[in-house]
C-alpha cells in the first residue's frame, strides 16, 4: 500500500481486485454446471473473508486496515458467487465500491491532516479538527459494518441469506460470514475510535481540515454509502440467476419473509456486538487491548505478522527464484554458456583474422600469384570431368578391395 490514497481507492473500489468476482459472475453459465467448482469458490471465499478480517484486527497502519478489509469483502463476494447468488455478489461489489472508495479517500484526508502520518497509534482526537472528514468517514465505517439502512447492509445481508439457504455447507459458510461480520464491525470501529476519539497522541503535528477539492468527493461518496443500497437486490436479481435451476434448500425455502427478517436481525445484532466490544476496548478502557496482547503474545504476534504469509512466500518463492536467477541463469546460462559461446566466436574471429591478415600483405607480386593460382583452380574445375574421375577412382578402390 505504498501508492497514494486516490490510487488505492480506485484499485480497491473499482478495478483490478474485483476482476475475479466479475469473471466468475460473467461466466456463471459454466460454473453452474459444476457444483463442486461452486463449492470450492464458496469455501475459498468464506475462508478469505475470515482470514483477512483477523489480520485487520491488529494492524496499526490505517491503509493496511482498509487493505485487508478489502480482501475480506472480496471473500464475501466470492462466497456469494459460490452459492450461486451472483446478483448479490455483484450488488456487494457495487456498494463496496462506494464505501471503500470513501474510506480510502477519507484516510488520505486524515494522513494529509497528520502531515503524512499513517500510524493509528499516533492519531486520536481528530473529530473536532476534521469535522467533514469525520462525518464522511463515519458514514463509510457504518456502511461497511452492515448497519441498516446504509448500503453495505443490503448487499451483505443478501449474500448471507443466500448462503444460509444453500444446504448444509451453506449453513457452515453462513456462520463463517456471520463471524466475519462481527470482526469487520470491530476492526472498523477500532480504526474509527483510534483516529477520531480520545486525546491526541502526537503533538508534533497540527491537524487541519483538507481543502474542498479533497472533501467534495468524500461528501458524494458518503451520500452513496448511505443510499447506494436502496436500489434493492430484487430489482436486478433476475439478470444473473442460475441456469442450473434453484439452489435453495427446500427445508429453508418455507421460511420466506420471516426467515429473511430473522437472519437480517441476527446479522445486525452481530455487527452491533462487534462495535460494542470495540467501544469497550478503545473508548471506555483503552488500556485493555495492550493487556490482552500481553496475555496472548503468540496470537497477537501471529496476527500482527499476517500469519507470516509474506515470510512463507519469501522463503518458498522469492528466495528460490533469486537463487535460480543468480546461480543457474546468472552463472551457468549467462556466463558459462552464453559467455563461453561469445568467447569461442571471438576466438574464431581472431584466428581467422590473423590468417587472413597474412594474405593481405600489400605485395603486388603475392596478389598476382594468388590470382594466378585461383584462375588455375577455376580452369581445373571447369576442364577436368570430375564425375568421370570420381567414378574411375571409386571403381579402382572397390576393385582393389575385392581382390
Amino acid at each position: 500500500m505504498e501508492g497514494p490514497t486516490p490510487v488505492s481507492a480506485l484499485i480497491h473500489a473499482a478495478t483490478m481486485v474485483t476482476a475475479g468476482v466479475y469473471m466468475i459472475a460473467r461466466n456463471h453459465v459454466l460454473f453452474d454446471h459444476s457444483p463442486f467448482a461452486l463449492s470450492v469458490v464458496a469455501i475459498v471465499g468464506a475462508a478469505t473473508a475470515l482470514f483477512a478480517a483477523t489480520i485487520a484486527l491488529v494492524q496499526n497502519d490505517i491503509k493496511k486496515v482498509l487493505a485487508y478489509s478489502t480482501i475480506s469483502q472480496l471473500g464475501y463476494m466470492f462466497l456469494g458467487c459460490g452459492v450461486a447468488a451472483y446478483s448479490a455478489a455483484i450488488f456487494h461489489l457495487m456498494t463496496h465500491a462506494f464505501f471503500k472508495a470513501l474510506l480510502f479517500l477519507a484516510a488520505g484526508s486524515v494522513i494529509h491532516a497528520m502531515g503524512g502520518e499513517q500510524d493509528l497509534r499516533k492519531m486520536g482526537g481528530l473529530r473536532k479538527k476534521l469535522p467533514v472528514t469525520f462525518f464522511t468517514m463515519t458514514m463509510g465505517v457504518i456502511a461497511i459494518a452492515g448497519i441498516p439502512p446504509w448500503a453495505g447492509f443490503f448487499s451483505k445481508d443478501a449474500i448471507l441469506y443466500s448462503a444460509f439457504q444453500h444446504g448444509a455447507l451453506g449453513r457452515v459458510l453462513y456462520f463463517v460470514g456471520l463471524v466475519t461480520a462481527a470482526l469487520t464491525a470491530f476492526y472498523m470501529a477500532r480504526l474509527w475510535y483510534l483516529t477520531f476519539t480520545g486525546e491526541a497522541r502526537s503533538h508534533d503535528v497540527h491537524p487541519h481540515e483538507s481543502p474542498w477539492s479533497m472533501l467534495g468527493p468524500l461528501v458524494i461518496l458518503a451520500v452513496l454509502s448511505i443510499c447506494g443500497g436502496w436500489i434493492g437486490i430484487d430489482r436486478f436479481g433476475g439478470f444473473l440467476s442460475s441456469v442450473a435451476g434453484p439452489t435453495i434448500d427446500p427445508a429453508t425455502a418455507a421460511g420466506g419473509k420471516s426467515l429473511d427478517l430473522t437472519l437480517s436481525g441476527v446479522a445486525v445484532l452481530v455487527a452491533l456486538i462487534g462495535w460494542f466490544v470495540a467501544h469497550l476496548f478503545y473508548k471506555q478502557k483503552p488500556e485493555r487491548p495492550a493487556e490482552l496482547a500481553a496475555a496472548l503474545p503468540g496470537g497477537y504476534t501471529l496476527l500482527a505478522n499476517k500469519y507470516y504469509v509474506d515470510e512463507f512466500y519469501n522463503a518458498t518463492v522469492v528466495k528460490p527464484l533469486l537463487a535460480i536467477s543468480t546461480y543457474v541463469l546468472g552463472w551457468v546460462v549467462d556466463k558459462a554458456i552464453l559467455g563461453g559461446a561469445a568467447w569461442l566466436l571471438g576466438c574464431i574471429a581472431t584466428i581467422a583474422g590473423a590468417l587472413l591478415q597474412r594474405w593481405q600483405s600489400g605485395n603486388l607480386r603475392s596478389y598476382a600469384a594468388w590470382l594466378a593460382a585461383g584462375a588455375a583452380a577455376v580452369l581445373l574445375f571447369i576442364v577436368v570431368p570430375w564425375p568421370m574421375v570420381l567414378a574411375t577412382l571409386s571403381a579402382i578402390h572397390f576393385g582393389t578391395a575385392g581382390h
Side-chain angles (χ1 to χ4, degrees):
M1 300 307 301
E2 299 299 330
T5 49
V7 175
S8 301
L10 176 65
I11 291 174
H12 286 252
T15 62
M16 194 176 75
V17 298
T18 55
V21 181
Y22 172 79
M23 186 272 293
I24 294 180
R26 187 69 178 83
N27 294 281
H28 74 96
V29 175
L30 301 177
F31 282 87
D32 285 337
H33 293 289
S34 177
F36 175 77
L38 285 178
S39 297
V40 171
V41 171
I43 293 171
V44 171
T48 301
L50 181 62
F51 175 81
T54 56
I55 295 177
L57 292 175
V58 298
Q59 298 303 311
N60 294 312
D61 188 310
I62 187 172
K63 292 183 67 181
K64 282 188 177 181
V65 175
L66 298 178
Y68 283 103
S69 168
T70 299
I71 299 175
S72 182
Q73 297 303 307
L74 287 172
Y76 268 112
M77 299 175 203
F78 281 109
L79 172 58
C81 290
V83 296
Y86 306 107
S87 291
I90 296 299
F91 186 30
H92 193 56
L93 190 154
M94 182 190 75
T95 59
H96 172 262
F98 295 148
F99 54 73
K100 186 51 60 71
L102 168 61
L103 289 170
F104 265 111
L105 292 178
S109 180
V110 171
I111 295 170
H112 172 74
M114 294 293 295
E117 182 60 64
Q118 296 184 198
D119 195 333
L120 291 169
R121 295 168 295 185
K122 298 181 181 180
M123 297 181 185
L126 298 178
R127 176 179 178 178
K128 294 182 179 179
K129 296 181 179 180
L130 310 177
V132 179
T133 301
F134 165 74
F135 173 77
T136 53
M137 194 168 192
T138 301
M139 298 301 101
V141 170
I142 296 175
I144 195 174
I147 307 298
W150 278 258
F153 163 76
F154 297 98
S155 54
K156 188 182 295 185
D157 180 68
I159 293 175
L160 292 176
Y161 178 68
S162 299
F164 187 83
Q165 292 186 304
H166 201 70
L169 176 62
R171 300 284 183 85
V172 176
L173 300 180
Y174 163 80
F175 178 75
V176 174
L178 209 59
V179 173
T180 304
L183 297 179
T184 302
F186 175 84
Y187 67 69
M188 290 307 303
R190 169 181 177 266
L191 180 149
W192 186 78
Y193 280 117
L194 289 177
T195 303
F196 295 108
T197 65
E199 299 295 330
R201 291 181 290 275
S202 177
H203 301 284
D204 297 331
V205 295
H206 301 283
H208 55 281
E209 186 62 280
S210 302
W212 275 103
S213 59
M214 297 173 64
L215 298 179
L218 298 185
V219 175
I220 297 173
L221 290 169
V223 174
L224 292 171
S225 298
I226 297 172
C227 61
W230 297 356
I231 184 176
I233 189 67
D234 293 332
R235 297 197 180 188
F236 58 92
F239 288 110
L240 289 173
S241 58
S242 174
V243 299
T247 59
I248 298 175
D249 186 358
T252 60
K257 196 67 176 178
S258 61
L259 177 63
D260 188 9
L261 293 176
T262 301
L263 295 180
S264 298
V266 171
V268 173
L269 178 62
V270 165
L272 292 176
I273 291 174
W275 191 294
F276 178 71
V277 173
H279 178 78
L280 294 178
F281 273 48
Y282 296 98
K283 180 63 176 178
Q284 294 188 354
K285 295 184 178 180
E287 71 281 355
R288 185 171 293 178
E291 296 174 355
L292 184 61
L296 301 171
Y300 178 81
T301 303
L302 183 65
L303 296 180
N305 288 280
K306 298 157 285 189
Y307 294 100
Y308 296 98
V309 171
D310 292 340
E311 289 77 6
F312 175 78
Y313 180 80
N314 188 57
T316 58
V317 178
V318 176
K319 287 186 177 180
L321 284 177
L322 286 177
I324 293 173
S325 302
T326 302
Y327 298 106
V328 178
L329 299 179
W331 289 96
V332 178
V333 176
D334 186 24
K335 294 188 176 180
I337 298 177
L338 298 179
W343 177 84
L344 179 62
L345 292 175
C347 290
I348 293 174
T350 302
I351 295 173
L355 294 175
L356 293 174
Q357 185 180 16
R358 294 183 177 274
W359 294 356
Q360 303 296 328
S361 61
N363 192 330
L364 293 178
R365 290 178 297 177
S366 175
Y367 291 163
W370 281 111
L371 180 62
V378 171
L379 289 173
L380 183 65
F381 180 80
I382 296 173
V383 172
V384 176
W386 290 104
M388 185 178 299
V389 173
L390 293 175
T392 304
L393 292 175
S394 177
I396 296 172
H397 171 73
F398 285 108
T400 305
H403 292 292

